[in-house]
Amino acid sequence: MIEKILSELLVKVLENKGKTRDFLLKQFEKKLYSAFVENNPNNRPKAVQEYKYYILRSLVLSALRSIDKGIFSREVLKRTVSTLAKGAFIKPKESKMAEKFFKEKYGVEPPAFITISPTMVCNLHCIGCYAASHANARNTLPYSTVKRVIQETHDYWGSRFTVISGGEPTMYKSEGKTILDLYADFPDMFFLMYTNSTLIDKDKARRMAELGNVTPAISVEGFEEETDARRGKGVYKKIMRAFENLRNAGVPFGISVTATTKNAELLIGEKFYDFYFDEQGASYMWIFQYMPIGRGIDTKLMPTPEQRYKMLHRWDTCMKKGGRFVADFWNSGIVSDGCIAYGRPGGYLYIDWNGNIMPCVFVPYYVDNIKRLYAQGKTINDALFSEFFKRGREWQHRYGYKYGATPENWFMPCSIRDHYENFKKHIAKEVKPEDENAEAALQDPEYYKAMVEYDEKLSRLTEKLWKEKIIEKSNQ
Ligand code: SF4
C-alpha cells in the first residue's frame, strides 16, 4: 500500500512545478522517511535505513534538476514515468503474482534483475577493460536468446528492469535486430545501458527518446586528459557530442566511471561532480572501483584503502548535502543490504556474450551457460540453484543479509573484492573461469597476497566507522 502511495505521490512531484511541487516534495520526503526508517520493514539498523532514504531522495532530486534544466523533456518524462510507474516502481499485479509463484515453487524470493552483455564487440580498446572487449571479437548472443532470457525474468521473476552491458551495446547486431529493437520489444520494462556513447548520434538519441524506457550510462574516466588516456585520443570530444545529442532529444543520462589509483583524487574532490551534474546535466553517476579482472590485470590500480575511505565520505556528502544520485561500488553496499550477486532475492546475476551465467559482472567465474540450459529444456531459474550460487548466497546471509540480524561491515560488502580469502577458499569451488585472465588470477599467489592484504587494511580502516556510525548509532 505504502509503495502505491509513494509511487503516486512521486508521479505528481515529477509532473508539477513551483510551489505545488515544493509542497508535494515535502510530503513525499516525509512518507519516504517513514516507510524506510520509521516502519523499517525488515528490521535493519536504523542508520542503514537512513542511507536508503537519502539515496532514493537524491535520485528524485537529481531527476527534478534535469527536468528544470529541460534536459529531461516533459514528453520523454511522461513515457518514462508511465513505464516506471507501470513496472519498475509500482509493481503491477502480474509482477507480484510472478514473485508469489516463484516463492511458492522455490521457497525464496526471486532476483530483481539481470545484467546481460549481448556482445563482446567494441569499437574502443580501453586499458584494463573488465570485459577485455575489442573490435574483432566474434562473441555475440543471438537476439532470440537475449529476448528469451529477458522474457523469462519478466514472466518468472516479475522483473521490470534490465541492465545492458558489453562490449559496446550500440554495436550489437543479430538476426537483423539491434539493441534498440530489444527495448522496443519490452515496452513495460526499463533498461539501463552502459555505453561508451561514441555511436550515439542524433538519430539514436531521438529513437531513445521515442522509446522512453532506456537511459544510457556513459563511461568517462575524469576529464579529457584522463578519459582519452584510458579510452583513446578524441573519445572525450565524442562523449561531449553524445551528451549534447541526448540533451537535445530530452533523454536522461548518467555517467559511469572506473575509479583507479590514478583518478581517485578527482573523485574525492568536488569539481568532477559539479562538472558532470551541473554543467553537463547528468542525472546520476555510477562509480565502479577498479576490480583487477579482464585485460591487463594490475592490483596496483585499485584505489588504495585510504582513497576508498575518503571516497566513502565524498559519496556521503554528495548524496546527503548535494542531493546528487551517486552509487559507488563498493562504498554504497549499505543501501542494497550488502552484496547483490548470486541471484540473491532482490539481487541479480550476470550473463555474458557466450551465455555464461556469472554471479556478478565482477566475478568472472561460472558453472552454467544459458544456451546449454535451453538446449536441455531448462530455464534461467535452473541457474539460480547451482552449488556455486548457493554458496555465495549462504555467505551473503551470514554476512548480514538475513532479516533482523546485525549485519557485518557493509562498508566492505563485496564477496570477491573485499573477502578474497573466503571467496577463493569457500565460494569459488569447481567453477570455470570466464577467460584466461580469470584463470590466471585464481592461480596467481601474488594476486592472492595483494587482494588479502588490501582486505586486511580496509577492514582496519572501516570497522570502527561501521560499528560507531551504523551499529551503535542505530542502537541509541
Ligand atoms: S560480488 Fe561485489 S561487485 Fe558483485 S554484487 Fe557483490 S558486492 Fe557488488
mmCIF file of all heavy atoms in Angstrom, residues 288 291 329-330 333 336 338-342 348 359-363 395-396 412-418 423, ligand 1:
data_model
loop_
_atom_site.group_PDB
_atom_site.id
_atom_site.type_symbol
_atom_site.label_atom_id
_atom_site.label_comp_id
_atom_site.label_asym_id
_atom_site.label_seq_id
_atom_site.Cartn_x
_atom_site.Cartn_y
_atom_site.Cartn_z
ATOM 1 N N PHE A 288 32.556 2.674 -10.329
ATOM 2 C CA PHE A 288 32.993 1.289 -10.148
ATOM 3 C C PHE A 288 34.471 1.310 -9.802
ATOM 4 O O PHE A 288 35.290 1.702 -10.644
ATOM 5 C CB PHE A 288 32.775 0.481 -11.435
ATOM 6 C CG PHE A 288 31.320 0.340 -11.791
ATOM 7 C CD1 PHE A 288 30.737 1.179 -12.725
ATOM 8 C CD2 PHE A 288 30.530 -0.606 -11.169
ATOM 9 C CE1 PHE A 288 29.387 1.078 -13.038
ATOM 10 C CE2 PHE A 288 29.177 -0.721 -11.476
ATOM 11 C CZ PHE A 288 28.613 0.124 -12.405
ATOM 12 N N MET A 291 38.355 -3.236 -10.445
ATOM 13 C CA MET A 291 38.454 -4.613 -9.963
ATOM 14 C C MET A 291 39.483 -5.301 -10.856
ATOM 15 O O MET A 291 39.336 -5.290 -12.082
ATOM 16 C CB MET A 291 37.088 -5.280 -10.092
ATOM 17 C CG MET A 291 37.096 -6.750 -9.773
ATOM 18 S SD MET A 291 37.332 -7.028 -8.008
ATOM 19 C CE MET A 291 37.565 -8.793 -8.026
ATOM 20 N N PHE A 329 30.333 1.678 -6.127
ATOM 21 C CA PHE A 329 30.581 0.260 -5.824
ATOM 22 C C PHE A 329 32.028 0.165 -5.382
ATOM 23 O O PHE A 329 32.912 0.441 -6.177
ATOM 24 C CB PHE A 329 30.357 -0.617 -7.051
ATOM 25 C CG PHE A 329 28.932 -0.561 -7.534
ATOM 26 C CD1 PHE A 329 28.496 0.517 -8.299
ATOM 27 C CD2 PHE A 329 28.040 -1.550 -7.194
ATOM 28 C CE1 PHE A 329 27.172 0.578 -8.720
ATOM 29 C CE2 PHE A 329 26.732 -1.491 -7.619
ATOM 30 C CZ PHE A 329 26.297 -0.434 -8.375
ATOM 31 N N TRP A 330 32.358 -0.057 -4.119
ATOM 32 C CA TRP A 330 31.563 -0.800 -3.199
ATOM 33 C C TRP A 330 31.164 0.000 -1.964
ATOM 34 O O TRP A 330 30.544 -0.550 -1.045
ATOM 35 C CB TRP A 330 32.341 -2.020 -2.778
ATOM 36 C CG TRP A 330 32.578 -2.942 -3.943
ATOM 37 C CD1 TRP A 330 31.730 -3.937 -4.341
ATOM 38 C CD2 TRP A 330 33.691 -2.997 -4.847
ATOM 39 N NE1 TRP A 330 32.248 -4.599 -5.437
ATOM 40 C CE2 TRP A 330 33.440 -4.040 -5.772
ATOM 41 C CE3 TRP A 330 34.853 -2.241 -4.990
ATOM 42 C CZ2 TRP A 330 34.325 -4.359 -6.800
ATOM 43 C CZ3 TRP A 330 35.723 -2.558 -6.026
ATOM 44 C CH2 TRP A 330 35.457 -3.605 -6.908
ATOM 45 N N GLY A 333 27.443 -0.197 -0.687
ATOM 46 C CA GLY A 333 26.826 -1.510 -0.408
ATOM 47 C C GLY A 333 25.795 -1.467 0.698
ATOM 48 O O GLY A 333 24.903 -2.309 0.760
ATOM 49 N N SER A 336 22.093 -1.443 -0.386
ATOM 50 C CA SER A 336 21.494 -2.642 -1.005
ATOM 51 C C SER A 336 21.555 -3.824 -0.046
ATOM 52 O O SER A 336 21.469 -4.966 -0.474
ATOM 53 C CB SER A 336 22.227 -2.974 -2.304
ATOM 54 O OG SER A 336 23.605 -3.162 -2.036
ATOM 55 N N GLY A 338 24.126 -4.974 1.385
ATOM 56 C CA GLY A 338 25.305 -5.764 1.047
ATOM 57 C C GLY A 338 25.319 -6.232 -0.393
ATOM 58 O O GLY A 338 24.615 -5.689 -1.248
ATOM 59 N N CYS A 339 26.103 -7.257 -0.618
ATOM 60 C CA CYS A 339 26.322 -7.809 -1.970
ATOM 61 C C CYS A 339 25.012 -8.302 -2.591
ATOM 62 O O CYS A 339 24.237 -9.000 -1.948
ATOM 63 C CB CYS A 339 27.305 -8.972 -1.824
ATOM 64 S SG CYS A 339 27.510 -9.963 -3.300
ATOM 65 N N ILE A 340 24.780 -7.917 -3.860
ATOM 66 C CA ILE A 340 23.509 -8.290 -4.508
ATOM 67 C C ILE A 340 23.686 -9.412 -5.539
ATOM 68 O O ILE A 340 22.764 -9.723 -6.293
ATOM 69 C CB ILE A 340 22.846 -7.070 -5.192
ATOM 70 C CG1 ILE A 340 23.797 -6.442 -6.224
ATOM 71 C CG2 ILE A 340 22.385 -6.044 -4.187
ATOM 72 C CD1 ILE A 340 23.128 -5.410 -7.118
ATOM 73 N N ALA A 341 24.883 -10.013 -5.580
ATOM 74 C CA ALA A 341 25.167 -11.016 -6.619
ATOM 75 C C ALA A 341 24.522 -12.371 -6.310
ATOM 76 O O ALA A 341 23.755 -12.501 -5.378
ATOM 77 C CB ALA A 341 26.668 -11.155 -6.748
ATOM 78 N N TYR A 342 24.878 -13.379 -7.115
ATOM 79 C CA TYR A 342 24.454 -14.788 -6.931
ATOM 80 C C TYR A 342 22.930 -14.951 -6.992
ATOM 81 O O TYR A 342 22.373 -15.842 -6.367
ATOM 82 C CB TYR A 342 24.968 -15.348 -5.587
ATOM 83 C CG TYR A 342 26.465 -15.215 -5.421
ATOM 84 C CD1 TYR A 342 27.015 -14.115 -4.759
ATOM 85 C CD2 TYR A 342 27.329 -16.178 -5.946
ATOM 86 C CE1 TYR A 342 28.390 -13.966 -4.622
ATOM 87 C CE2 TYR A 342 28.712 -16.039 -5.810
ATOM 88 C CZ TYR A 342 29.228 -14.934 -5.146
ATOM 89 O OH TYR A 342 30.593 -14.790 -5.018
ATOM 90 N N TYR A 348 20.772 -9.824 -8.294
ATOM 91 C CA TYR A 348 20.913 -10.035 -9.737
ATOM 92 C C TYR A 348 21.920 -11.119 -10.055
ATOM 93 O O TYR A 348 22.589 -11.671 -9.171
ATOM 94 C CB TYR A 348 21.296 -8.714 -10.396
ATOM 95 C CG TYR A 348 22.787 -8.463 -10.586
ATOM 96 C CD1 TYR A 348 23.318 -8.305 -11.868
ATOM 97 C CD2 TYR A 348 23.676 -8.382 -9.506
ATOM 98 C CE1 TYR A 348 24.658 -8.047 -12.065
ATOM 99 C CE2 TYR A 348 25.025 -8.132 -9.704
ATOM 100 C CZ TYR A 348 25.519 -7.970 -10.987
ATOM 101 O OH TYR A 348 26.837 -7.734 -11.191
ATOM 102 N N PRO A 359 27.824 -14.866 -11.186
ATOM 103 C CA PRO A 359 27.125 -14.223 -10.058
ATOM 104 C C PRO A 359 27.045 -12.717 -10.221
ATOM 105 O O PRO A 359 26.124 -12.078 -9.722
ATOM 106 C CB PRO A 359 28.002 -14.556 -8.849
ATOM 107 C CG PRO A 359 28.912 -15.656 -9.288
ATOM 108 C CD PRO A 359 29.045 -15.557 -10.766
ATOM 109 N N CYS A 360 28.031 -12.138 -10.907
ATOM 110 C CA CYS A 360 28.158 -10.681 -10.963
ATOM 111 C C CYS A 360 29.139 -10.334 -12.084
ATOM 112 O O CYS A 360 29.988 -11.147 -12.445
ATOM 113 C CB CYS A 360 28.702 -10.221 -9.603
ATOM 114 S SG CYS A 360 29.293 -8.534 -9.550
ATOM 115 N N VAL A 361 29.038 -9.139 -12.585
ATOM 116 C CA VAL A 361 29.959 -8.653 -13.619
ATOM 117 C C VAL A 361 31.420 -8.743 -13.142
ATOM 118 O O VAL A 361 32.335 -8.939 -13.931
ATOM 119 C CB VAL A 361 29.590 -7.187 -13.962
ATOM 120 C CG1 VAL A 361 30.592 -6.553 -14.891
ATOM 121 C CG2 VAL A 361 28.204 -7.117 -14.538
ATOM 122 N N PHE A 362 31.608 -8.598 -11.813
ATOM 123 C CA PHE A 362 32.970 -8.583 -11.269
ATOM 124 C C PHE A 362 33.414 -9.930 -10.707
ATOM 125 O O PHE A 362 34.433 -10.010 -10.037
ATOM 126 C CB PHE A 362 33.085 -7.492 -10.202
ATOM 127 C CG PHE A 362 32.871 -6.130 -10.774
ATOM 128 C CD1 PHE A 362 31.716 -5.427 -10.532
ATOM 129 C CD2 PHE A 362 33.833 -5.563 -11.605
ATOM 130 C CE1 PHE A 362 31.507 -4.181 -11.092
ATOM 131 C CE2 PHE A 362 33.635 -4.318 -12.172
ATOM 132 C CZ PHE A 362 32.468 -3.623 -11.917
ATOM 133 N N VAL A 363 32.627 -10.954 -10.946
ATOM 134 C CA VAL A 363 33.012 -12.312 -10.507
ATOM 135 C C VAL A 363 33.082 -13.171 -11.774
ATOM 136 O O VAL A 363 32.078 -13.771 -12.183
ATOM 137 C CB VAL A 363 31.984 -12.880 -9.499
ATOM 138 C CG1 VAL A 363 32.416 -14.272 -9.024
ATOM 139 C CG2 VAL A 363 31.817 -11.953 -8.303
ATOM 140 N N TRP A 395 26.901 -17.208 2.063
ATOM 141 C CA TRP A 395 27.842 -16.223 2.622
ATOM 142 C C TRP A 395 27.144 -14.875 2.841
ATOM 143 O O TRP A 395 27.276 -14.250 3.904
ATOM 144 C CB TRP A 395 29.073 -16.045 1.703
ATOM 145 C CG TRP A 395 29.947 -14.944 2.206
ATOM 146 C CD1 TRP A 395 30.863 -15.034 3.213
ATOM 147 C CD2 TRP A 395 29.928 -13.570 1.797
ATOM 148 N NE1 TRP A 395 31.429 -13.802 3.449
ATOM 149 C CE2 TRP A 395 30.870 -12.890 2.600
ATOM 150 C CE3 TRP A 395 29.214 -12.850 0.839
ATOM 151 C CZ2 TRP A 395 31.121 -11.511 2.452
ATOM 152 C CZ3 TRP A 395 29.464 -11.496 0.701
ATOM 153 C CH2 TRP A 395 30.401 -10.836 1.509
ATOM 154 N N GLN A 396 26.372 -14.433 1.845
ATOM 155 C CA GLN A 396 25.641 -13.145 1.980
ATOM 156 C C GLN A 396 24.734 -13.165 3.207
ATOM 157 O O GLN A 396 24.651 -12.192 3.951
ATOM 158 C CB GLN A 396 24.778 -12.902 0.728
ATOM 159 C CG GLN A 396 25.545 -12.587 -0.516
ATOM 160 C CD GLN A 396 24.653 -12.669 -1.757
ATOM 161 O OE1 GLN A 396 23.641 -13.366 -1.772
ATOM 162 N NE2 GLN A 396 25.045 -11.975 -2.804
ATOM 163 N N MET A 412 32.351 -2.982 3.570
ATOM 164 C CA MET A 412 33.163 -3.970 2.832
ATOM 165 C C MET A 412 32.223 -5.082 2.359
ATOM 166 O O MET A 412 32.283 -6.200 2.838
ATOM 167 C CB MET A 412 34.228 -4.577 3.752
ATOM 168 C CG MET A 412 35.316 -3.625 4.137
ATOM 169 S SD MET A 412 36.582 -4.454 5.123
ATOM 170 C CE MET A 412 37.228 -5.686 4.019
ATOM 171 N N PRO A 413 31.340 -4.755 1.402
ATOM 172 C CA PRO A 413 30.276 -5.712 1.086
ATOM 173 C C PRO A 413 30.647 -6.799 0.076
ATOM 174 O O PRO A 413 29.955 -7.797 -0.031
ATOM 175 C CB PRO A 413 29.196 -4.808 0.473
ATOM 176 C CG PRO A 413 29.977 -3.726 -0.203
ATOM 177 C CD PRO A 413 31.191 -3.494 0.653
ATOM 178 N N CYS A 414 31.734 -6.588 -0.667
ATOM 179 C CA CYS A 414 31.918 -7.399 -1.873
ATOM 180 C C CYS A 414 32.450 -8.800 -1.580
ATOM 181 O O CYS A 414 33.485 -8.962 -0.943
ATOM 182 C CB CYS A 414 32.835 -6.674 -2.846
ATOM 183 S SG CYS A 414 32.965 -7.589 -4.396
ATOM 184 N N SER A 415 31.743 -9.773 -2.126
ATOM 185 C CA SER A 415 32.088 -11.178 -1.857
ATOM 186 C C SER A 415 33.452 -11.541 -2.440
ATOM 187 O O SER A 415 34.108 -12.430 -1.938
ATOM 188 C CB SER A 415 31.022 -12.093 -2.457
ATOM 189 O OG SER A 415 31.164 -12.164 -3.858
ATOM 190 N N ILE A 416 33.871 -10.873 -3.493
ATOM 191 C CA ILE A 416 35.160 -11.220 -4.103
ATOM 192 C C ILE A 416 36.227 -10.164 -3.780
ATOM 193 O O ILE A 416 37.285 -10.496 -3.270
ATOM 194 C CB ILE A 416 35.018 -11.471 -5.636
ATOM 195 C CG1 ILE A 416 36.372 -11.815 -6.261
ATOM 196 C CG2 ILE A 416 34.388 -10.302 -6.361
ATOM 197 C CD1 ILE A 416 36.262 -12.360 -7.672
ATOM 198 N N ARG A 417 35.942 -8.923 -4.018
ATOM 199 C CA ARG A 417 36.943 -7.874 -3.815
ATOM 200 C C ARG A 417 37.336 -7.741 -2.333
ATOM 201 O O ARG A 417 38.515 -7.679 -1.995
ATOM 202 C CB ARG A 417 36.394 -6.578 -4.411
ATOM 203 C CG ARG A 417 36.944 -5.214 -4.146
ATOM 204 C CD ARG A 417 38.415 -5.033 -4.163
ATOM 205 N NE ARG A 417 38.935 -5.735 -3.015
ATOM 206 C CZ ARG A 417 40.169 -6.159 -2.902
ATOM 207 N NH1 ARG A 417 41.026 -5.943 -3.825
ATOM 208 N NH2 ARG A 417 40.569 -6.826 -1.836
ATOM 209 N N ASP A 418 36.334 -7.718 -1.457
ATOM 210 C CA ASP A 418 36.609 -7.381 -0.056
ATOM 211 C C ASP A 418 36.811 -8.589 0.841
ATOM 212 O O ASP A 418 37.147 -8.434 2.013
ATOM 213 C CB ASP A 418 35.448 -6.539 0.514
ATOM 214 C CG ASP A 418 35.251 -5.245 -0.258
ATOM 215 O OD1 ASP A 418 36.210 -4.793 -0.905
ATOM 216 O OD2 ASP A 418 34.138 -4.704 -0.216
ATOM 217 N N PHE A 423 36.358 -15.966 -0.575
ATOM 218 C CA PHE A 423 35.864 -16.251 -1.918
ATOM 219 C C PHE A 423 36.625 -17.424 -2.523
ATOM 220 O O PHE A 423 36.045 -18.371 -3.037
ATOM 221 C CB PHE A 423 36.003 -15.013 -2.819
ATOM 222 C CG PHE A 423 35.632 -15.291 -4.255
ATOM 223 C CD1 PHE A 423 34.299 -15.379 -4.630
ATOM 224 C CD2 PHE A 423 36.606 -15.503 -5.214
ATOM 225 C CE1 PHE A 423 33.949 -15.678 -5.939
ATOM 226 C CE2 PHE A 423 36.268 -15.795 -6.523
ATOM 227 C CZ PHE A 423 34.926 -15.879 -6.887
HETATM 228 S S1 SF4 B 1 30.203 -9.525 -5.853
HETATM 229 FE FE1 SF4 B 1 30.926 -7.489 -5.267
HETATM 230 S S2 SF4 B 1 30.593 -6.242 -7.099
HETATM 231 FE FE2 SF4 B 1 29.343 -8.072 -7.303
HETATM 232 S S3 SF4 B 1 27.346 -7.541 -6.453
HETATM 233 FE FE3 SF4 B 1 28.526 -8.452 -4.813
HETATM 234 S S4 SF4 B 1 29.410 -6.645 -3.819
HETATM 235 FE FE4 SF4 B 1 28.782 -5.974 -5.816
#
